[in-house]
Amino acid sequence: MMRKILLATFVVFYVTTLAALVPARAAPAEATGSAETTDAAPVLREPRIDIPLEIPDAARATPDFDVERATQAYIELLSPEQRALSDAYTNGGYWLQFWVFLLELAVVWLLLSTRFSAKMRDFSERLSRRKPIQTAIYAMQYIVITAVLEFPLALYQGFFREHKYEMATQTFGPWFGDQIKGLGVGVILGSLAIMAVYGAIRKAPRTWWIWCGLISVAFMMLLMMIFPVFVAPLFNDYQTLKEGPLRDRILSLARANGVPADDVYWFDASRQTTRISANVSGFLGTTRISLNDNLLNHTSPEEIEGVLAHEMAHYLLHLPKMVIYTGLVIVIGFAFMKWGSDKALARWGARWDVRSIGDTASLPLLIAVFSIYSFLITPIQNSIVRGSETEADIVAINMTQQPDAWARTAMRASNYRKVKPGPIEEMLWHHHPSGHSRVHMAMQWKSEHLEEEREKGR
């Protein structure tokens, strides 16, 4: 019976994907580049690195330089139509967070109330007598089935919506291929993590929430270490940036600030998106500086240097802090999970055919309780992350002495982030400073170094 149910689920999944082949309607263009879509992966080619830095006249270091006027000059680089699109995209994102949360709870309710979760557990117990293997089998089923049930919203969020705002460059086939690869990675790593969590629950029924928190932090650090080497190349091709002034400047910046990287990589994100991005990832010998071809092809060398300085600041200042912070959030979350799941099982456990917290059939409940916890603390998490982003912005400008490059980059990112949200709106929903805040901070820095900026002709 279980096999028939799983087969029916996959049939629904593939019918849904066929419906997704209907083309999305494009909206007016975004700023970073063309949103042309193709089924074939583009040929990896050496990117451009010769884009000049554009500084608005009102933002130049003249004797009458004014922070507010310079900030407004950068804001006006976006047309009213672009700002309207950015606002619409951001506002829609608020609702999406809410709908994703509700869908997660609905999927959990479905699996528990129909006893489908218990049937998945029974199926895993028939295949093996060993608890860890049973847990792994259940975890694989859970990850795949929830991905299937949540796929329609993921399809809208990651494919149709991104095409509507011209931020996606893939047609359905390549996009769906990336989703399948992501699901495969999730099944492997998720199963290992769930096995470890349930092992701790069964070994320490009173204090499992502490051990699960520590296990989660260790697993997170492992992922940070292996991601740049083993996971990222599954989705993009990486090549060494050719020798030249830009590569030399990036590596010099890394050496001067203690970032243990001896090479710079670029990857073909333009096959998926029009967004610009970069990162400094990995540790314990896997540290890698990477930037995407959109950043290389559509921004100036000064902007590239500023973006990578920002990422280096995160690596140097926030990696240990965020591990500690995330560890505390996770441990508190597991404590909340224990409290909530104990109460729920005492009331509805028999109806759901969930024997105890150590029963793998309880996983949907644990996920639901943790989702509620995460949703409730979203403003706190956003405020902490936003603070670290602001700190990295300041450090990056001081590292590069390029306030205009950072202001220009902030406006490029404002194509998909509201330029000037209200204070309550920013506190609740924004995990990055607004474009206005970033530009204003850069122009304030410039006003305090006006003589040096004037000597540089900026």
Side-chain angles (χ1 to χ4, degrees):
M1 181 63 183
M2 186 63 184
R3 288 186 178 88
K4 292 180 180 178
I5 294 172
L6 288 174
L7 179 61
T9 304
F10 278 107
V11 168
V12 172
F13 176 65
Y14 285 114
V15 169
T16 306
T17 61
L18 287 174
L21 293 172
V22 178
R25 185 173 67 89
E30 279 283 318
T32 57
S34 170
E36 180 183 357
T37 58
T38 175
D39 283 311
V43 177
L44 194 63
R45 65 186 186 278
E46 194 67 31
R48 294 179 60 187
I49 52 174
D50 58 351
I51 309 294
L53 174 64
E54 298 178 4
I55 303 175
D57 290 339
R60 291 196 173 274
T62 57
D64 62 342
F65 178 85
D66 179 76
V67 172
E68 301 300 332
R69 187 172 65 246
T71 300
Q72 187 60 31
Y74 273 106
I75 299 298
E76 290 174 357
L77 290 176
L78 290 182
S79 68
E81 293 78 15
Q82 287 174 315
R83 286 194 63 176
L85 277 175
S86 173
D87 289 353
Y89 183 82
T90 304
N91 292 338
Y94 303 153
W95 282 105
L96 265 178
Q97 291 182 58
F98 183 65
W99 291 121
V100 167
F101 170 67
L102 290 183
L103 179 60
E104 289 176 351
L105 296 186
V107 168
V108 165
W109 174 84
L110 178 67
L111 294 177
L112 290 173
S113 63
T114 62
R115 296 194 175 187
F116 195 82
S117 182
K119 291 181 174 69
M120 291 160 58
R121 174 205 61 211
D122 296 342
F123 176 69
S124 65
E125 290 177 345
R126 287 197 297 271
L127 294 183
S128 176
R129 295 182 179 179
R130 300 181 62 185
K131 286 290 185 183
I133 303 301
Q134 292 173 4
T135 303
I137 294 171
Y138 178 93
M140 292 176 189
Q141 297 175 76
Y142 179 84
I143 293 168
V144 171
I145 290 172
T146 54
V148 170
L149 294 174
E150 295 172 8
F151 181 76
L153 184 56
L155 177 64
Y156 167 74
Q157 183 176 16
F159 185 76
F160 286 117
R161 185 169 184 261
E162 292 298 295
H163 274 280
K164 178 181 178 181
Y165 291 93
E166 287 203 345
M167 286 187 234
T169 58
Q170 290 176 307
T171 52
F172 179 77
W175 177 84
F176 184 63
D178 280 349
Q179 304 309 300
I180 292 298
K181 284 188 281 187
L183 179 60
V185 172
V187 166
I188 295 169
L189 298 179
S191 298
L192 293 173
I194 292 169
M195 283 173 62
V197 165
Y198 273 96
I201 290 174
R202 291 161 186 152
K203 291 287 185 182
R206 291 181 178 273
T207 58
W208 63 264
W209 55 278
I210 299 174
W211 295 107
C212 285
L214 296 176
I215 289 169
S216 298
V217 171
F219 198 77
M220 177 183 67
M221 294 180 68
L222 174 65
L223 287 180
M224 290 167 57
M225 184 173 66
I226 68 173
F227 181 85
V229 177
F230 298 107
V231 179
L234 296 174
F235 301 91
N236 293 97
D237 293 323
Y238 284 73
Q239 286 192 10
T240 300
L241 187 65
K242 70 177 182 180
E243 292 187 5
L246 178 61
R247 180 177 181 275
D248 292 344
R249 286 164 66 180
I250 293 171
L251 289 177
S252 175
L253 196 64
R255 288 191 299 269
N257 291 280
V259 176
D262 55 10
D263 210 342
V264 181
Y265 297 88
W266 67 278
F267 59 99
D268 57 342
S270 61
R271 70 197 298 177
Q272 293 133 342
T273 182
T274 61
R275 298 176 193 241
I276 58 175
S277 69
N279 62 78
V280 179
S281 56
F283 67 101
L284 296 179
T286 67
T287 303
R288 175 176 288 190
I289 299 173
S290 304
L291 56 160
N292 76 13
D293 56 345
N294 291 325
L295 184 65
L296 287 164
N297 283 322
H298 300 291
T299 68
S300 65
E302 293 88 351
E303 291 171 78
I304 295 169
E305 188 177 359
V307 170
L308 285 171
H310 174 90
E311 297 302 322
M312 290 179 194
H314 278 311
Y315 183 87
L316 295 168
L317 299 176
H318 302 137
L319 181 60
K321 289 181 183 178
M322 293 309 289
V323 168
I324 294 170
Y325 158 72
T326 304
L328 289 173
V329 169
I330 291 173
V331 170
I332 295 170
F334 273 112
F336 183 82
M337 184 190 292
K338 183 180 187 304
W339 172 80
S341 57
D342 284 347
K343 289 190 173 298
L345 285 177
R347 184 168 182 176
W348 297 297
R351 182 185 304 175
W352 296 334
D353 193 20
V354 177
R355 302 160 187 161
S356 68
I357 194 67
D359 180 0
T360 51
S362 69
L363 181 62
L365 174 62
L366 300 185
I367 297 293
V369 176
F370 199 88
S371 294
I372 293 170
Y373 165 75
S374 297
F375 188 79
L376 291 175
I377 67 168
T378 294
I380 299 173
Q381 293 187 86
N382 285 346
S383 295
I384 292 173
V385 174
R386 195 167 57 250
S388 70
E389 291 291 336
T390 300
E391 187 177 23
D393 290 352
I394 296 170
V395 172
I397 293 178
N398 280 289
M399 286 168 65
T400 62
Q401 309 284 296
Q402 296 276 4
D404 290 287
W406 188 246
R408 190 70 184 88
T409 302
M411 293 317 300
R412 294 187 192 278
S414 294
N415 282 288
Y416 48 87
R417 293 185 189 131
K418 186 176 287 189
V419 177
K420 195 174 182 181
I424 296 178
E425 179 183 5
E426 186 170 21
M427 179 191 71
L428 290 176
W429 300 112
H430 286 245
H431 45 66
H432 280 68
S434 68
H436 181 275
S437 297
R438 285 178 144 170
V439 172
H440 191 275
M441 181 268 294
M443 294 301 97
Q444 185 65 52
W445 189 97
K446 187 172 185 175
S447 73
E448 301 299 329
H449 300 79
L450 207 57
E451 204 59 47
E452 299 97 308
E453 291 297 300
R454 193 177 297 126
E455 290 174 1
K456 294 174 184 176
R458 297 198 294 256

